[in-house]
Each structure stands twice: as C-alpha cells, then as structure tokens.
C-alpha cells in the first residue's frame, strides 16, 4: 500500500512543522486570486461525447486545497458545480487544509489512504511531487490525456509536460502561469526616502535601513514570528556565491545546497561552512540590535500583518507574494508604497519557475480519475470555469474594468469574502493584472526573463525511503537549534552553538543523507 510507503515520509515531514516557511513566504505559495479572462465573454464548453468517457453516472469529486474556507466559497462552488454537472456530470466537494496545518496534514493526506480525487502538489511541498509520483500515490495520466483531456494536453507545452515526468510518465498537470518567486525583503519606500536612501540592493543597504528604523521609528524593522528563521536561511543561501537549494531535506527547514548550478551533483549542508558560522554571528548581532522583537519565537503575528498595522518597517517573503499583497499593503498604509529587495538578484541566481512547481494531481485512491482530469481541463481551458475558481462570481467578488480585475463597490467582506487557493490551475492566457497587484510585475518579470537561470534539479525525484529515520532526526535538530541560530536566539555564544549544531547534525545522520542524495543524483540529467 502506498500509505505504508509514504508513512515514514509523512512522519519526517511533521517533525518540521514549526519550521514551515509559512505560505506567505517562499515555498511557492502565492495569493489565491491572480488570474483573469482578458476581458473575453465567458462561454461554456459543453459536451463530452467526443472524449469517449462514460459520464452517465454522476461523479462526486473531492478536491483538497490549502487555506481556509471563505464565507462565500460555498456559493462560488455551487456555480462551479452547476456547470460541471451539465458538462461532465460531476460535482466537486472542496476540503481545506488550513495554512498552519500544512506541515502535518498535507503529508498525512497521502499516507493515510484517505479516498479523495485531486490536490495541489509541488517538488517543494512537504512531500515532494516527485516522491508522491515515485511511490505510487498519484495516478499516471500519460495515456489518459489523449482520450480524456486532449485540449488540455495541447495547451501545455512539451517542455512543461517533460518537467512533470517521472521515469518517462506524467503524474500531474502543471500550471500555465509565468511567475518568479525569489525571496526578499518588502520595505517601506516612504521611510527609505525619509532616510535619504535610494534603494536596498545589498545586505549592507538593508542594515543601514534597519538601523535608521531603530533610530527613528517606534517599531521593529522586521516585526515577525518564528517563520522568519527560514527566511533568514534563504537570505544566507541566496546571497552566498552561486549557492542553490538542493534536494534531500525539506525546503521548509535548513536544507542542503550545492555550490553552483554546474556542480549540482555535489551537495552539502551550509552548517559546515565558514559562511554559515559568520551568518550565525550576524544573526545574533541583528537580534541584539533589535531588528526583530525579543519574543519572535513565540509571536503568533507575522511581519506582514504588523506591516499593514504600521507596526513593522518590512516583511520577509517572496516576490510574487509581495506583488499580490501590494494593493492590501497600500490600502492599509497609503504612504508606504513597499519596494522589494531580492536576495538572489545580485549574484545572478533568479530561477525560472516552471509548471511542475505548481501542479494539480489525482490520487491513486480516486474513484473517478478520468472525470477528475476532465474537471481539471475545464478549469484550465475554459475561461468561464477559470473565472469562477480564480475570482468567484462576476459582479459579486469581482468585475473587469478596462481589462483590469477590480473589486465591486458593492463587495462586503463579511458576506462576499472568499476564494480558492487554486494557483496550480492558473494560465497566462486568462491572466490579467488586478487593481490590487503591483503594476511593476510585468516590467520586473521581463527584466528577470533576460537573466534567469534554470533550476538544475527540476525533474529529479529524491527517494527518502532509506533515510527516513535520519531525516526525522535532522528535522528535530533544526527545530531545536537551527531555527534559533537563524534568529540569534541560542542560549550560547553563536560560534559555540554552531559547533553544537554541527555535532547534532552528524549524530542525526546528515552524512548518510548527503551520500544518499548524491548517489541518486549520479545518473540524473537535468531538463534542458
């Protein structure tokens, strides 16, 4: 049973729950409403006779999504189900995994043997897409596509399909939405100008800005919570040489890296480098200065929430999240006009994000895999479905004015609020800017398009089955000491704490994990 195969992985993943980089950070999780229909009049694509699929019996599909249920979600889903019932004789029940429960409940979703049909998947999720595919948790849709969803197959590029392949087979439907999600620091441009600065383009600039905040404002430069430990680790990796994140340890904790894209088959843990030790010392200095609050490890409020409440000078996140929150940030603090310091930019490490990083998959426990694939095709190739799953009901949750998605004047958050975290279903064809989205997105992405690099690990499926015990132990070490190092909160001198961290990683089996990753990488060739 796949549940038994995945149970060890799930248990290892749950150990890292307190290190989860939160979905407002850089684990490929973006704002929920980010598409549009280019102003086209929605039209339903009725009929399934040509597919050759027997739809005479109604299929009741279960779709797991991350996030909570908005007050209007049931109303939106009712409209979706009217269309699905008419077109493919199916309905969908959406079940939710709240943001704070993803680290524990998402892995167990696949390990438990629960019967459901569809969910989000990603190589960077708590259990990797490639791991799920290689351990028989996902339906192989390779041969099904031509029969069941030919329009969907034709709409997605051959390169994108190739990125989803495991042993030459397709196990997920990749998104068709172009985006970049490098980590960085969103900060108040009004304060920047107040301090006589032009921009933040380096760690030194960031320190100068934060020193000015401490000297002139009543709040912290980064008034966040424990999730920022992982953000600090991302800053270390992204600003150090040509280092890139490598597979093996979940990206929701202090993970492995490679020295450069060219040496991707050789991996190591940053803890055993002089750069890591120097960073731990810097993090203690930042903590002692008061760049973040003393109670950051126990705080329940994130820096973005505090930013919007004028109680933080910035917040750590990824570019797409900053772009998507721009409208809400400006509405809350009209003078702030947040800018973004992208950690990886200076060292030429902006990575392209390809479709597999946000995929929709079908569980092997699905009772109706063909109907599930047909539903996915509707959401991604028919703008009338797309608008509903991405935006809601036109005139209630959204309206399109001059090609821009806006919130209607009649919108009442208490009765109309809602939406689905269905970013895996997005497509460039139907995407338009939102009035709440940062207008810099288009020009910024065009600039990054010219210099972006490919992630050498796309397509690599790490099988953790031989090191599940070690991974669980490493997660515990990260939770107990790694997180504290990244926030300067160890009880000992940082250099002494780093030595202890290294020793604990050795005891937990880090060398065995590294050897296993490198052994599996030996015969892997990256997707071109």
């Amino acid at each position: 049973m796949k549940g038994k195969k995945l149970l060890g992985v799930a248990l290892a993943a749950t150990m890292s729950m307190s290190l989860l980089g939160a979905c407002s950070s850089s684990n490929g999780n973006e704002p929920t409403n980010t598409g549009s229909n280019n102003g086209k009049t929605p039209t339903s694509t009725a009929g399934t006779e040509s597919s050759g699929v027997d739809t005479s019996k109604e299929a009741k599909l279960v779709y797991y999504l991350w996030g909570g249920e908005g007050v209007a979600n049931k109303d939106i889903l009712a409209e979706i189900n009217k269309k699905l019932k008419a077109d493919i004789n199916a309905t969908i029940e959406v079940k939710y995994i709240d943001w704070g429960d993803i680290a524990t409940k998402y892995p167990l979703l696949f390990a438990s043997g629960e019967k459901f049909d569809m969910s989000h998947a990603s190589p960077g999720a708590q259990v990797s897409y490639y791991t799920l595919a290689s351990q028989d948790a996902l339906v192989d849709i390779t041969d099904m596509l031509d029969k069941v969803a030919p329009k969907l197959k034709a709409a997605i590029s051959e390169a994108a399909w190739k990125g989803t392949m495991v042993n030459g087979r397709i196990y997920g439907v990749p998104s068709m939405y172009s985006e970049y999600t490098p980590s960085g620091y969103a900060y108040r441009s009004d304060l920047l100008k107040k301090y006589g600065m032009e921009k933040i383009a380096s760690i030194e600039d960031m320190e100068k800005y934060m020193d000015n905040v401490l000297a002139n404002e009543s709040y912290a430069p980064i008034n966040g919570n424990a999730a920022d430990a992982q953000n600090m680790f991302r800053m270390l990796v992204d600003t150090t040489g040509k280092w890139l994140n490598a597979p093996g340890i979940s990206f929701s904790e202090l993970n492995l890296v490679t020295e450069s894209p060219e040496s991707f088959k050789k991996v190591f843990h940053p803890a055993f480098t002089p750069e890591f030790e120097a960073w731990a010392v810097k993090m203690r200095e930042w903590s002692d200065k008061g760049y973040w609050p003393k109670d950051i490890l126990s705080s329940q409020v994130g820096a973005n929430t505090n930013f919007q409440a004028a109680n933080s000078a910035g917040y750590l996140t990824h570019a797409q999240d900053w772009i998507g929150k721009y409208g809400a940030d400006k509405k809350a603090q009209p003078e702030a006009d947040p800018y973004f310091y992208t950690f990886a930019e200076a060292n030429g490490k902006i990575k392209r994000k390809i479709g597999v990083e946000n995929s929709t998959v079908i569980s092997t426990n699905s009772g109706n895999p063909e109907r599930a694939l047909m539903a996915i095709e509707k959401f991604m190739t028919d703008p009338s479905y797309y608008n509903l799953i991405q935006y809601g009901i036109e005139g209630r949750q959204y309206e399109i004015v001059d090609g821009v998605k806006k919130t209607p004047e009649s919108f009442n958050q208490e009765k109309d609020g809602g939406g689905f975290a269905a970013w895996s279903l997005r497509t460039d064809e139907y995407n338009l800017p939102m009035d709440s989205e940062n207008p810099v997105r288009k020009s910024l992405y065009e600039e990054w398009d010219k210099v972006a690099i490919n992630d050498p690990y796309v397509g690599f499926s790490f099988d953790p089955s031989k090191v599940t015990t070690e991974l669980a132990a490493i997660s515990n070490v990260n939770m107990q000491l790694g997180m504290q190092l990244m926030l300067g909160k160890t009880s000992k001198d940082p250099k002494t704490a780093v030595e202890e961290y290294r020793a604990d990683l050795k005891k937990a089996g880090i060398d065995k994990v590294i050897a296993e990753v490198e052994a599996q990488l030996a015969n892997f060739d990256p997707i071109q």
Side-chain angles (χ1 to χ4, degrees), residues 168-182:
R169 308 297 290 179
I170 298 170
Y171 293 87
V173 178
S175 74
M176 294 186 283
Y177 179 70
S178 301
E179 63 181 342
Y180 289 95
T181 58

Side-chain angles (χ1 to χ4, degrees), residues 367-385:
N368 295 280
E370 290 185 334
R371 215 78 62 89
L373 186 58
M374 293 169 76
I376 294 169
E377 181 181 54
K378 290 293 185 186
F379 288 127
M380 297 184 72
T381 64
D382 184 330
S384 65
Y385 280 89

